[in-house]
Structures are given as structure tokens and as C-alpha cells.
Amino acid sequence: MLIKRDKWLQYRILRNASSLAGRLPETQLLKKDTLTKVLLQYQSIVLKPRNGSYGRDIIFIKRNGVRTYRIQNENNVVIMRDTNKVLQWLHKRNKSHGYIVQKRLYLAQIGHKPFDIRIIVQRKKGSSATWNVTGSYAKVAAQGYLVTNVTSRTIPVLEALKLARIEDRSLLVKAEHIALSAAKRLGERYPKLRQVGFDIGIDRKLRIWIIEGNYKPDLRPFQLLKDSSMHRKILWYKKH
């Protein structure tokens, strides 16, 4: 079965596993009436292209007052007064595949910059092979950005937790368990799938969330870490 890079499809596959449903931010497909509804429900939301990668074109919308919306894409901010105008603006940006809309997560921060965790999960050839966590690192957003794909630095996860003054070190183990469960679920759907790079968020209440899974994760950041053992392990799994 062809592995489709579609955030909406992935959300639906993961949501059907009861153990994972509560780990996913509430997500809907963006339609005209959805945007108005969701903005009434939540003060702040995130829009992502269904087929997006590398965090491009992720848009944060915040309700500022009555019918006034603050829209941030990367480090650009515009104010709009009408959801119809917002929808027209979005359509111009991504005509082809549309967007999903999610309640915004307020991620834990390091020096006022949000961070999340990338966890690589792999299995050897053969659909009955066991999934294993082969690497992880934390991505800290650059100044003025809300998404971590524009990264100011890549650091080991335990160091990130320390810098964020999070004392519960077991959060990394919990995050890894969640990533393994999610990989198992996706692997049932896609028997040929052998690696997923999960973006896992820890919010300010220390709750763990699955932001998304990437089927072709960028492995270069592992070369920036002092410890090269994870990078070697990941490359070993890719071959076997």
C-alpha cells in the first residue's frame, strides 16, 4: 500500500487506536464553516497544509477581539477582520490540498522559545519486525517563531528538559512509549513502513502530545549532536 503523506489521513489512522486518541490535538478538516466555529471555540488555532513538510506554511490564528484575527506565518504577522478574508488568503497560499485545523498546543519553553522532541522509530525489514526507538533530540524554535522547524538549536532531550526546568526525566521514556505505539498503529496500516520521525510535544502542564509523524524524517540534525551513536544506529536500521 502506498504510504501517503497526508496529515488528515494520518490523524484518522492514529485516532482509531483508543490508547492514542487522547494524545492527539483535536483536529478537523478546514472548511468554510469550520474556521468560524473553531475560532469561537478556541482563542488560538493552528492550520497545517495536509501535504506539508518541514513545517512550511504552518499558520497560527489568534482571536484578538470581536472579529479581529492575528495571523502568524513563520515570523510574519498580519491582522485580518473577517474569516472570509482569512479563507481567501489561505486558498491563495495552498490551492491544491487544503488544510487541517487544530487547537493550538502551548508547548513547554526554553528561554521563552517553544521546543518539541523528534523521536525516530524504526524496524528491520519484514512487517512482523519489532519497532524500536533509535534516536531523539529536542528542537528549540528560533526567536520570534512559533514552530520548531526554524530551529535555533538541536540539543539532547534530557538537556532540553533541564533547561526548561522540567524535573520529571521520565517524560522522555513516556514520550518514547507513545511514539512506539503510534508507529505500531501506522505500521499496521502500511506494512512496508520502516521508519517514522515523530514530533512529540510537551505542553506547559507537562502533558505529552503527538504533533505528527514524518515518514521521511531529516536525519542531518543527528550529525550535530556530540554523541554520534544514535546516527550510526539509525543508519544501521535503514540498511537492515
Side-chain angles (χ1 to χ4, degrees):
M1 188 186 282
L2 190 69
I3 298 169
K4 283 185 76 175
R5 192 180 75 196
D6 178 341
K7 292 183 185 359
W8 176 237
L9 177 60
Q10 186 186 90
Y11 169 75
R12 286 178 9 242
I13 295 167
L14 292 175
R15 189 190 57 190
N16 284 339
S18 56
S19 63
L20 296 171
R23 297 290 175 189
L24 299 159
E26 194 188 320
T27 302
Q28 294 179 46
L29 208 48
L30 180 68
K31 294 181 185 138
K32 190 174 176 176
D33 54 342
T34 333
L35 188 64
T36 320
K37 250 191 256 169
V38 177
L39 278 165
L40 282 172
Q41 204 177 350
Y42 304 117
Q43 175 126 29
S44 202
I45 60 169
V46 188
L47 302 181
K48 299 173 182 177
R50 280 178 71 163
N51 64 335
S53 58
Y54 298 112
R56 277 191 292 264
D57 284 328
I58 291 181
I59 292 154
F60 291 81
I61 303 181
K62 187 178 181 191
R63 185 162 38 88
N64 259 0
V66 182
R67 297 180 77 91
T68 310
Y69 306 102
R70 179 187 190 273
I71 298 167
Q72 179 166 348
N73 168 235
E74 295 192 345
N75 58 349
N76 308 308
V77 176
V78 287
I79 303 291
M80 288 190 191
R81 294 200 169 274
D82 180 354
T83 47
N84 283 333
K85 285 204 179 86
V86 176
L87 285 163
Q88 282 165 8
W89 180 78
L90 287 169
H91 183 65
K92 267 186 206 155
R93 297 181 68 91
N94 184 14
K95 289 187 176 73
S96 51
H97 291 278
Y99 286 85
I100 57 167
V101 54
Q102 293 180 327
K103 175 189 177 184
R104 180 180 167 188
L105 296 177
Y106 284 92
L107 296 174
Q109 296 186 328
I110 293 172
H112 304 297
K113 296 170 190 169
F115 77 94
D116 63 19
I117 299 167
R118 166 59 59 91
I119 295 179
I120 304 287
V121 186
Q122 291 172 292
R123 62 177 171 180
K124 293 196 284 189
K125 287 175 186 147
S127 59
S128 61
T130 315
W131 287 95
N132 289 290
V133 171
T134 51
S136 64
Y137 62 84
K139 300 176 288 179
V140 189
Q143 192 68 48
Y145 287 79
L146 299 174
V147 284
T148 58
N149 66 299
V150 182
T151 304
S152 61
R153 56 193 167 142
T154 301
I155 54 176
V157 178
L158 291 177
E159 191 182 318
L161 295 178
K162 197 172 164 186
L163 289 168
R165 298 193 168 84
I166 295 171
E167 281 167 24
D168 184 358
R169 291 313 193 56
S170 70
L171 282 175
L172 174 55
V173 179
K174 287 175 193 156
E176 287 178 349
H177 281 311
I178 290 163
L180 284 167
S181 300
K184 215 169 165 183
R185 180 80 191 109
L186 293 171
E188 285 163 11
R189 176 66 179 257
Y190 300 121
K192 287 205 160 78
L193 183 66
R194 292 187 49 218
Q195 71 167 5
V196 191
F198 285 101
D199 288 332
I200 302 283
I202 297 174
D203 71 15
R204 294 177 196 174
K205 291 179 177 161
L206 304 190
R207 188 167 169 73
I208 300 169
W209 298 91
I210 299 169
I211 298 170
E212 66 178 299
N214 300 274
Y215 301 129
K216 288 184 178 169
D218 183 4
L219 301 174
R220 286 170 302 182
F222 285 97
Q223 295 170 306
L224 303 173
L225 298 170
K226 278 193 197 98
D227 178 1
S228 61
S229 63
M230 284 193 272
H231 192 238
R232 287 200 301 275
K233 193 174 185 181
I234 290 164
L235 295 180
W236 186 89
Y237 263 87
K238 277 176 85 76
K239 280 195 196 114
H240 296 79

